[in-house]
Amino acid sequence: MGNVFGGGQQSLYLSNGGTEVFVGTLMLAVSELAEEEWDFRFAALLTLQDQNVMGRGAVGFELRDIAWGATPRERSRAKDFVLRATELALSRHRWSDLGYEPSFAPDHLSRFLAMVESFEPTAAARLADGFPGPGEQACASCIRHRILSALPYWDGCFLCTGP
């Protein structure tokens, strides 16, 4: 059983372990760069990919289901944030915090980067499909790991909830 992250005509199918590594490396970068409300909403979407909380094989998202913004400028800024975060993750930002070498992460992140680069966000998003709303952003940070999390709803960040 695995998880799918889709965008346009492309998709990234990952095993449960691959998903954990992909989301973890991306979350480290997103936590570093998040500044605007949209960034924290995207971080909340990533926290919903924690299989130790949500269940194995039960996560994933489609880029078309993300509320990228109402104006071309908002959509461009949001897409740029995801691209910058993915590039930062590819630079191995804070990977030493993981406690293991995520050997498949560069491939998964590169494929996700290409997917986001080729995706054209629109104002129409199916918000019912799970992109966190303005009041649901990940605004709490795990004190121990300095990673955005779904606190106070969960006990900690993905490093806290992991095995």
Side-chain angles (χ1 to χ4, degrees):
M1 191 175 231
N3 308 283
V4 179
F5 299 86
Q9 300 297 317
Q10 301 178 49
S11 64
L12 180 60
Y13 177 82
L14 299 174
S15 67
N16 291 324
T19 298
E20 187 173 334
V21 171
F22 168 70
V23 171
T25 55
L26 191 54
M27 195 64 204
L28 291 167
V30 166
S31 295
E32 180 72 26
L33 297 177
E35 293 178 344
E36 302 288 329
E37 178 184 288
W38 191 93
D39 309 346
F40 292 98
R41 290 174 65 196
F42 185 76
L45 176 66
L46 291 179
T47 67
L48 294 172
Q49 311 313 306
D50 186 341
Q51 297 176 100
N52 294 309
V53 177
M54 302 301 289
R56 294 262 189 233
V59 301
F61 58 82
E62 290 281 337
L63 295 178
R64 71 173 179 259
D65 296 335
I66 293 175
W68 292 95
T71 67
R73 182 181 176 131
E74 289 173 345
R75 291 189 296 274
S76 176
R77 193 236 167 251
K79 180 177 176 177
D80 181 63
F81 173 77
V82 175
L83 292 172
R84 286 186 302 113
T86 307
E87 289 168 350
L88 181 60
L90 272 165
S91 76
R92 300 176 184 270
H93 176 73
R94 291 185 61 191
W95 284 14
S96 60
D97 292 356
L98 297 171
Y100 60 88
E101 178 59 35
S103 57
F104 294 106
D107 178 58
H108 298 156
L109 290 164
S110 294
R111 291 172 50 204
F112 183 70
L113 182 69
M115 185 186 327
V116 175
E117 284 175 335
S118 67
F119 182 77
E120 285 303 321
T122 65
R126 299 184 309 225
L127 294 180
D129 285 342
F131 189 69
E136 302 170 315
Q137 65 263 31
C139 54
S141 179
C142 171
I143 294 172
R144 182 174 172 209
H145 298 110
R146 300 175 338 266
I147 299 170
L148 290 170
S149 68
L151 293 170
Y153 305 108
W154 298 346
D155 292 334
C157 70
F158 75 91
L159 290 176
C160 292
T161 62

